[in-house]
Amino acid sequence: MIQFNLLPDVKREYVRARRNKRMTLLIASLAAGAAFAVLVILFVGVQIFQKKYSADLSKDIKSESSKLKGIQDLEKILTIQNQLAILPELHNKKPVATRTLDYFKQVTPAKASIAKMNLDYDTQIMNITGAADAISTINKFVDTLKFTTYKTEDGKEGNAFNSVVLSTFGRDDKGASYQITFKFDPIIFSNDSPVALTVPAGKITTRSETEKPDSLFQPLSNPNPTGQ
């Protein structure tokens, strides 16, 4: 069968244009409807559900606040909890004072003793008073403090003691007495890492090197060094 298209070209273009127009209007209408639906959903969510959610939260907050206010001595409990929370940090910052005895066994000459020791961990100043067999031993003690170094397990190192000064000294027929003031590096008492002291070789024979050392701490026979 043979068909003939008797519509002129203009008519065909007009029909195609109308068809495209209808399709465009349909798509635009669907898009506008979808956008309107989304807008309605958002509006309902914000104005109804969000407000209800916020109101419920406010009620819960008021309810829990009332319960907390009803707890006896709540402020004291919270204060204690805060203090407990910072205890680990405070413990880490606390100086390890137990290292003092080991340190001074390493640096104190075998023929010297300590009668009194004052440490200030805030200013890092130490003051020791004691006795020795001779002034030369005291001088070696001072030099040893000056040249003793430290090294931590994590690789930090430096001078353990600084600004070492023989404040006073004295002599009598029983020996010599002294008072030494110096600053110590706070890292040697730090909790962060173990610390090892290195005493300069050949300077003195310390108590840690003798087989049967006398007691490190002994009272002074002459308690008042005069600087003679």
Side-chain angles (χ1 to χ4, degrees):
M1 183 177 63
I2 300 174
Q3 293 182 348
F4 295 96
N5 187 357
L6 301 177
L7 290 174
D9 291 341
V10 175
K11 184 65 175 180
R12 287 201 306 272
E13 292 297 330
Y14 174 74
V15 172
R16 188 180 297 112
R18 289 191 63 184
R19 188 184 304 120
N20 291 340
K21 180 180 179 182
R22 286 195 298 269
M23 184 62 67
T24 302
L25 289 174
L26 178 61
I27 294 173
S29 298
L30 291 174
F36 181 75
V38 171
L39 179 62
V40 170
I41 292 172
L42 291 175
F43 178 81
V44 172
V46 172
Q47 295 298 321
I48 299 176
F49 295 109
Q50 189 68 29
K51 286 185 177 180
K52 184 178 183 303
Y53 181 70
S54 298
D56 291 342
L57 283 179
S58 298
K59 289 180 182 178
D60 292 340
I61 291 172
K62 289 180 180 179
S63 175
E64 296 300 325
S65 297
S66 299
K67 290 179 182 179
L68 289 174
K69 289 178 181 178
I71 298 175
Q72 188 176 3
D73 296 330
L74 176 63
E75 292 183 358
K76 293 181 181 179
I77 294 172
L78 293 176
T79 300
I80 293 172
Q81 287 180 338
N82 290 334
Q83 291 174 344
L84 290 175
I86 63 174
L87 278 179
E89 181 181 355
L90 292 175
H91 176 72
N92 290 335
K93 292 181 178 179
K94 181 182 66 176
V96 187
T98 53
R99 295 175 181 172
T100 306
L101 183 60
D102 290 335
Y103 288 161
F104 279 88
K105 282 182 178 178
Q106 290 180 256
V107 300
T108 306
K111 295 183 179 181
S113 62
I114 297 173
K116 184 178 179 182
M117 178 185 293
N118 292 320
L119 289 85
D120 189 328
Y121 293 106
D122 293 326
T123 61
Q124 292 91 49
I125 293 178
M126 185 180 296
N127 184 290
I128 56 175
T129 302
D133 63 330
I135 295 295
S136 58
T137 301
I138 297 173
N139 289 332
K140 290 179 180 179
F141 190 9
V142 171
D143 289 340
T144 300
L145 290 172
K146 289 180 179 179
F147 295 106
T148 296
T149 59
Y150 71 83
K151 186 172 184 178
T152 65
E153 197 173 65
D154 54 7
K156 297 178 182 177
E157 54 186 15
N159 289 330
F161 310 106
N162 299 283
S163 304
V164 183
V165 176
L166 178 59
S167 304
T168 57
F169 65 92
R171 292 177 296 180
D172 58 23
D173 55 350
K174 295 181 180 180
S177 57
Y178 67 86
Q179 185 177 75
I180 304 173
T181 302
F182 53 92
K183 299 193 73 172
F184 59 89
D185 193 316
I187 202 169
I188 68 174
F189 294 107
S190 173
N191 247 319
D192 295 338
S193 176
V195 180
L197 294 190
T198 301
V199 179
K203 288 286 183 184
I204 58 169
T205 299
T206 62
R207 293 180 175 277
S208 62
E209 296 173 321
T210 59
E211 293 183 2
K212 295 181 179 179
D214 295 331
S215 175
L216 175 62
F217 294 96
Q218 295 185 12
L220 280 176
S221 57
N222 177 12
N224 297 308
T226 60
Q228 296 175 349

